[in-house]
Amino acid sequence: MSAPTVNRVWQLAARPTGFPSGDDFRLIEDSVPKAGPGQVVVRNEVMSVDPAMRGRMNDVPSYTPPFQIDQPLEGGAVGTVVDSQSPEVPVGASVLHGLGWRDYALLEAKHVRVVDTALAPASAYLGVLGMPGLTAYAGLLDVARLRPDETVFISGAAGAVGTLAGQIARLRGARLVIGSAGSAEKVRYLVEDLGFDAAFNYKDGSIRTQLKQLTPDGIDVYFDNVGGEQLEAALFRMNLHGRIAVCGAISQYNEPDATGIRNLSLLISKRLTLQGFLVLDHWGRREAFVEEMSGWLREGQVTVAETFVDGIEHAVDGFLGMLRGQNLGKMIIRIADAA
Ligand SMILES: NC(=O)c1ccc[n+]([C@@H]2O[C@H](COP(=O)([O-])OP(=O)(O)OC[C@H]3O[C@@H](n4cnc5c(N)ncnc54)[C@H](OP(=O)(O)O)[C@@H]3O)[C@@H](O)[C@H]2O)c1
């Protein structure tokens, strides 16, 4: 079989305003790179699409630099090393790295992490054992300081972070785990398959009323993935000294004119803690997280939810689909079969 010569790469073609469209992206054909000293070439097999990528499409300073027009997009990916000039990362190694959105990635070997795809499938390193899993774990246990017997509310509960946050809360002894998601099917899945005590569809009637009905004793911990109206509704239901871990605000990412939170004064009367966090500040917890999560997986205590979109040519469809809520659990683009 002759060596592949074409490397398909997704670029940002234009900065989206509001909800992105397919025209904001471009798939180009480049040549397959060659490894120089200390470098590896990875044939990508799976890549992640994340809400944070939407933020990087805006030309604003943030914790990661914005994507540049006419330049490749980036993001988590797992693949197999096919060319190496690094003894530490030989040809055949499975690696996790940050240059998805392309068939072949050229990286410094020190920028990849070898993973064991015999222990867990490649996609797990982008989800349950990867960044979203650590986000759920650190957000719930370190930021919100969840204690046994507390009531937890998780918005965006049927997504990558939310499905794990809910299950971790249950396994760490929460008294009541309540979730919200955007369809009846997702609500059913949360309760019947993931063990949430109750869940509601935030598109189906008043959020405030539904949340009130499901939390008769109030909320001790709110794990906020969406912001906006659900944050307002949760503030009304928070108990004294409750903690809110602000993980994401996906209801606002495509709404440049989103309105603010109108009831923040409840922070004072209820002595609440509202803390934003970034998973990258919690990398020190990775080992403890992987150990505990691996145990739960081995014992069958955590259900892994993943949605796959096949083909790098459909990566943008997968990204837009994730923003629209077409994913159950982690949205993964399958680029190639495992080597
Ligand atoms: N702080 C950190 O370090 C960190 C790390 C990772 C992720 N995050 C944040 O965590 C959140 C979840 O990320 P994820 O990777 O797990 O994504 P995800 O939940 O797997 O996918 C995004 C989900 O957002 C929901 N959504 C879309 N528009 C919405 C709206 N207007 N209101 C409510 N929900 C909406 C959709 O589900 P529905 O069908 O339910 O609408 C969709 O499936 C995001 O806000 C992300 O930015 C933060």
Side-chain angles (χ1 to χ4, degrees), residues 138-189:
L140 207 53
L141 304 183
D142 300 341
V143 180
R145 303 182 311 283
L146 174 71
R147 294 187 289 259
D149 262 351
E150 291 190 318
T151 294
V152 182
F153 169 46
I154 297 161
S155 58
V161 174
T163 50
L164 296 169
Q167 295 183 85
I168 294 169
R170 171 173 50 76
L171 289 161
R172 281 302 198 100
R175 188 170 66 82
L176 206 61
V177 182
I178 308 296
S180 67
S183 73
E185 171 56 21
K186 288 185 179 185
V187 165
R188 188 209 59 75
Y189 179 79

Side-chain angles (χ1 to χ4, degrees), residues 134 283-292:
L134 180 58
W283 234 241
R285 284 284 267 166
R286 207 180 67 83
E287 220 170 290
F289 153 68
V290 169
E291 194 183 326
E292 193 161 10

Side-chain angles (χ1 to χ4, degrees), residues 10-320:
W10 278 104
Q11 295 181 336
L12 184 66
R15 296 203 181 281
T17 41
F19 201 93
S21 83
D23 295 341
D24 298 325
F25 307 90
R26 179 191 305 123
L27 186 62
I28 61 143
E29 292 194 349
D30 203 349
S31 49
V32 176
K34 287 191 172 22
Q39 295 181 324
V40 294
V41 174
V42 182
R43 176 179 174 267
N44 284 333
E45 287 152 12
V46 286
M47 63 167 254
S48 174
V49 284
D50 301 283
M53 291 169 178
R54 175 63 188 88
R56 293 187 70 187
M57 291 166 194
N58 300 331
D59 191 16
V60 292
S62 187
Y63 58 97
T64 42
F67 293 131
Q68 296 301 312
I69 305 277
D70 298 334
Q71 294 299 316
L73 299 167
E74 296 177 2
V78 175
T80 303
V81 173
V82 291
D83 180 12
S84 171
Q85 289 209 34
S86 160
E88 287 83 32
V89 189
V91 167
S94 292
V95 294
L96 169 69
H97 63 88
L99 293 186
W101 292 97
R102 67 203 78 193
D103 288 312
Y104 292 89
L106 173 67
L107 297 119
E108 299 297 321
K110 62 180 182 230
H111 292 153
V112 310
R113 188 159 62 79
V114 175
V115 294
D116 189 346
T117 49
L119 272 185
S123 58
Y125 296 97
L126 302 175
V128 64
L129 290 173
M131 182 277 283
L134 180 58
T135 303
Y137 188 85
L140 207 53
L141 304 183
D142 300 341
V143 180
R145 303 182 311 283
L146 174 71
R147 294 187 289 259
D149 262 351
E150 291 190 318
T151 294
V152 182
F153 169 46
I154 297 161
S155 58
V161 174
T163 50
L164 296 169
Q167 295 183 85
I168 294 169
R170 171 173 50 76
L171 289 161
R172 281 302 198 100
R175 188 170 66 82
L176 206 61
V177 182
I178 308 296
S180 67
S183 73
E185 171 56 21
K186 288 185 179 185
V187 165
R188 188 209 59 75
Y189 179 79
L190 292 175
V191 175
E192 290 179 17
D193 293 26
L194 298 191
F196 281 62
D197 294 289
F200 66 94
N201 178 354
Y202 69 88
K203 295 176 181 167
D204 189 12
S206 158
I207 293 171
R208 200 173 158 189
T209 306
Q210 294 193 79
L211 189 58
K212 187 173 178 190
Q213 278 164 356
L214 296 182
T215 56
D217 298 325
I219 298 168
D220 301 303
V221 163
Y222 173 37
F223 191 105
D224 184 16
N225 281 314
V226 309
E229 208 183 331
Q230 297 204 50
L231 175 54
E232 269 193 10
L235 279 164
F236 284 119
R237 298 301 303 152
M238 293 304 293
N239 290 332
L240 274 192
H241 301 291
R243 286 93 59 210
I244 302 176
V246 182
C247 175
I250 195 162
S251 73
Q252 321 275 287
Y253 297 166
N254 298 305
E255 303 282 346
D257 301 322
T259 50
I261 305 300
R262 294 163 297 182
N263 55 353
L264 277 179
S265 61
L266 290 173
L267 293 175
I268 309 161
S269 50
K270 297 186 182 190
R271 288 79 128 190
L272 303 176
T273 305
L274 177 87
Q275 189 183 334
F277 73 99
L278 283 174
V279 64
L280 52 87
D281 295 327
H282 296 265
W283 234 241
R285 284 284 267 166
R286 207 180 67 83
E287 220 170 290
F289 153 68
V290 169
E291 194 183 326
E292 193 161 10
M293 182 56 82
S294 303
W296 286 329
L297 288 169
R298 264 196 311 274
E299 294 158 8
Q301 304 217 57
V302 164
T303 297
V304 177
E306 295 174 325
T307 301
F308 289 94
V309 169
D310 281 311
I312 193 169
E313 64 279 16
H314 297 303
V316 165
D317 300 333
F319 172 66
L320 300 180

